Amino acid sequence: MTKGYSKDYRREMIEAGKHLYAEGLVSGTAGNLSCRLGKDRFLITATNTCIGRLKPDDLVVVNAKGEIIEDNPSGAQPSSEIGTHLVIYEVRSDVNSVAHTHSLYASALAYAKIHLKPVNPESFYILGDIPIVPYYKFGSKELAQAVKERIGNFKALLLQEHGVLAAGKDLWDAVFTAELVEEVAKISYLVELLERVKG
């Protein structure tokens, strides 16, 4: 792809980051976004940046090894979570974007090791079951390997004590998948609460 093409994606990623932040799916410098630009070219948010306030220089172009392949005047480095993004692209040719969020309810259920199952038509047809990836230190090779082993054909994964990974055919598909995961988590929590009240 050309540099002009990647610049279009920079604008779109900035808007997607603002959306996730406004929806409360990330806070502070938590969370990250990436997208596939072409063969062996990926755009990912820089480490230690707020994705709700991204600037063009906060986005880094890397290859499949995670190496920076396009000069960035700011010297920004790719997110420490780059490994989890790249392994998904490696095994899923249908995935062109990945969103990592720390949404409240989904993160809580992941911490409690509660699997998310479909609770409404949207989650049944779009998400299906959502596996939990056991805890490994963020940014570690072990976490990337665990994600690689569990992603299968799933649209999303819960990361124990860490949050959500959502995969999409494009940037907004990944973002909306992350939103749907949080909606399912909220409904699941409320159903469990109401069952206890009824009981």
Side-chain angles (χ1 to χ4, degrees), residues 126-160:
I126 297 173
L127 293 180
D129 290 343
I130 304 174
I132 296 177
V133 177
Y135 173 77
Y136 292 98
K137 184 179 179 181
F138 70 90
S140 67
K141 292 181 180 179
E142 291 81 6
L143 177 58
Q145 182 62 31
V147 167
K148 183 177 181 178
E149 292 171 357
R150 286 165 177 79
I151 187 63
N153 290 317
F154 294 106
K155 289 277 291 180
L157 298 171
L158 293 185
L159 306 178
Q160 187 183 343

Side-chain angles (χ1 to χ4, degrees), residues 85-101:
H85 291 246
L86 292 177
V87 294
I88 294 176
Y89 294 127
E90 177 186 345
V91 299
R92 291 280 298 277
S93 60
D94 62 312
V95 171
N96 292 307
S97 187
V98 176
H100 171 49
T101 66

Side-chain angles (χ1 to χ4, degrees), residues 20-157:
L20 286 172
Y21 192 85
E23 292 297 313
L25 300 186
V26 294
S27 61
T29 59
N32 34 75
L33 287 166
S34 71
C35 64
R36 192 194 302 266
L37 298 178
K39 185 177 181 181
D40 202 32
R41 284 174 62 83
F42 307 90
L43 186 67
I44 188 165
T45 49
T47 188
N48 200 33
T49 56
C50 173
I51 67 173
R53 302 181 65 184
L54 290 171
K55 303 180 296 296
D57 285 350
D58 295 327
L59 303 171
V60 186
V61 180
V62 299
N63 62 19
K65 295 180 181 179
E67 301 165 335
I68 298 175
I69 57 173
E70 191 172 298
D71 290 339
N72 188 319
S74 71
Q77 296 297 306
S79 168
S80 60
E81 305 289 356
I82 189 171
T84 57
H85 291 246
L86 292 177
V87 294
I88 294 176
Y89 294 127
E90 177 186 345
V91 299
R92 291 280 298 277
S93 60
D94 62 312
V95 171
N96 292 307
S97 187
V98 176
H100 171 49
T101 66
H102 288 197
S103 53
L104 182 62
Y105 285 83
S107 295
L109 295 184
Y111 188 93
K113 302 180 186 177
I114 297 174
H115 286 80
L116 283 183
K117 296 184 178 180
V119 296
N120 56 16
E122 292 81 8
S123 60
F124 181 83
Y125 288 107
I126 297 173
L127 293 180
D129 290 343
I130 304 174
I132 296 177
V133 177
Y135 173 77
Y136 292 98
K137 184 179 179 181
F138 70 90
S140 67
K141 292 181 180 179
E142 291 81 6
L143 177 58
Q145 182 62 31
V147 167
K148 183 177 181 178
E149 292 171 357
R150 286 165 177 79
I151 187 63
N153 290 317
F154 294 106
K155 289 277 291 180
L157 298 171

